Amino acid sequence: MKILVIGSGGREHAIIWKLRQSKVSPNIYCAPGNGGISRDARIVSIKSDDIKGLLDFAVKEKIDLTIVGPEAALAQGIVDRFMRKGLSIFGPTKELALLESSKAYAKETMCRFNIPTAGFEIFDSADKAIDFTNRPRLFAAHYPVVVKADGLAAGKGVVICKDRKEAQMAIEDMMVRKIFGPAGEKVVIEEHLEGEEASILVVSDGISFTALASAQDHKRVFDRDKGPNTGGMGAYSPAPVVTRDIHKRVMDQVIEPLITGLAKEGKFYKGILYAGIMITKQGPQVLEFNVRFGDPETQAILPRLKTDLTDLCFASIEDKIDRLKLEWEEKSAVCVVLASGGYPGDYQKGFEISGLDEAYSGGEEDSYVFHAGTAISPQSTVHNLLPMAAGF
Ligand code: AMP
Ligand code: GLY
């Protein structure tokens, strides 16, 4: 079996590492991959947003299964394009990828199905949004409020504003100065929620769904939850904050109404659905949906999965989730991200990473090195990689 994994991060490396344990012994390709992934899969030099290039490759190579890591390819409709050519691909269609690529779409969908989420208003003009912050009505009277760019903004499009001045600045940045380009054509202004965050991931075939192990990621760059937010400095699984009761409430109040509600409208959500949840005093509320595996949650979740990952993907594609029984290791897993100093701001690339041989040859029992954005330097031996960013 030939499998194509799309992406170049630690998440994709973890997916490939897991696929290598599959009973079907697949030939694994990765586009565009990275230096570390090149040890475990054949690298294909096609960017993850070059949908035509990826499609041509998959048709020519007769790829049996494609797994998409990053949201951008899903938002561009890679699943629709591959399906039209009769190719098996794991993930949602362009329309349903809007649950991540448009915060306004996600909010309106949640409203339709009575899914608990922060109060909100959607604006398509800066004047109206600013007017809203000036008028003491609804939640805008109570700061902080959260201003969100509607579209994909690489995790930077959410601003928690402690007063009116900050809210107006965020609106102007997004809608007038257009710092996120078209992603800021609309903004969502949202009530601020307090509580602990957790990620709940399920795999769905559009009708049935089943939960993956819980996980929690750490967003701040420094220890003790200090410093700016990042794409994720680490994760662990399971997440103790997701008690049996919380898990059941999220399944009953969020996942089930969403998957079933969409199906009743003739929209069948396939692939991974990731709900970012705030556990508030009033119960779990949805912060966001992602339409793909989380990064770095996947690096902590997949090492605990005993089930063959190809079975999980095909159960979703072939509408057999009701027959899928996921099995998990009882052990816990933690992923720690090592990043170049300065991240998430400007940082220097090109440092050599050493010591990987020792880690690969089983330094600690059950420890793995997943690479994100590394490359193999032409001057060095195979394990000297740059730039660095790796997860254990
Ligand atoms: P999002 O991309 O919408 O999940 O937002 C990114 C992060 O911003 C979340 O993980 C939360 O830490 C924070 N956040 C987003 N929305 C809210 C909210 N309504 N109240 C409090 N924090 C929020
Ligand atoms: N860890 C957050 C995300 O994957 O979006």
Side-chain angles (χ1 to χ4, degrees), residues 11 100 217 219 231-232 274 288 290 292-297:
R11 166 183 53 201
E100 175 165 359
D217 71 344
K219 292 205 176 349
Y274 166 137
E288 64 165 343
N290 293 326
R292 45 154 179 99
F293 282 110
D295 190 343
E297 288 91 333

Side-chain angles (χ1 to χ4, degrees), residues 26 32 51 111 134 138 140 159 162 186 197 214 229 248 251 265-266 268 285 293 311 327 335 370:
I51 310 297
C111 258
N134 281 328
L138 292 177
V159 187
K162 68 173 182 316
K186 280 190 208 166
E197 284 183 52
S214 65
N229 269 351
K248 183 168 178 346
M251 290 299 138
E265 293 177 350
F268 298 97
Q285 307 234 18
F293 282 110
D311 287 345
E327 291 190 66
C335 161
F370 298 129

Side-chain angles (χ1 to χ4, degrees), residues 127-198:
D127 288 346
K128 284 189 203 145
I130 286 177
D131 186 43
F132 179 72
T133 63
N134 281 328
R135 276 198 255 154
R137 59 179 168 145
L138 292 177
F139 55 87
H142 310 284
Y143 283 89
V145 295
V146 187
V147 176
K148 300 184 171 184
D150 176 52
L152 296 176
K156 296 188 184 143
V158 173
V159 187
I160 296 173
C161 307
K162 68 173 182 316
D163 53 30
R164 180 183 302 176
K165 197 164 148 249
E166 281 189 10
Q168 295 183 349
M169 179 83 85
I171 293 165
E172 281 170 4
D173 279 348
M174 291 176 193
M175 304 191 89
V176 182
R177 286 185 279 282
K178 301 191 192 306
I179 60 170
F180 302 122
E185 273 165 17
K186 280 190 208 166
V187 297
V188 177
I189 304 183
E190 215 174 87
E191 171 193 16
H192 182 259
L193 300 174
E194 311 257 348
E196 276 253 38
E197 284 183 52

Side-chain angles (χ1 to χ4, degrees), residues 99 104-115 258 262:
L99 286 170
Y105 179 92
K107 283 296 210 181
E108 283 164 349
T109 305
M110 283 188 266
C111 258
R112 268 202 325 283
F113 304 138
N114 280 325
I115 293 172
L258 182 66
L262 289 171

Side-chain angles (χ1 to χ4, degrees), residues 86-107:
L87 292 162
S88 291
I89 182 163
F90 179 68
T93 56
K94 181 174 183 172
E95 181 182 14
L96 292 176
L98 282 170
L99 286 170
E100 175 165 359
S101 61
S102 166
K103 291 195 187 289
Y105 179 92
K107 283 296 210 181

Side-chain angles (χ1 to χ4, degrees), residues 200-204 209-212 247 251 255 259 269 271-275:
I200 304 248
L201 285 83
V202 301
V203 53
S204 167
F209 57 87
T210 187
L212 306 194
H247 188 269
M251 290 299 138
I255 306 293
I259 302 283
Y269 187 95
I272 298 289
L273 176 69
Y274 166 137

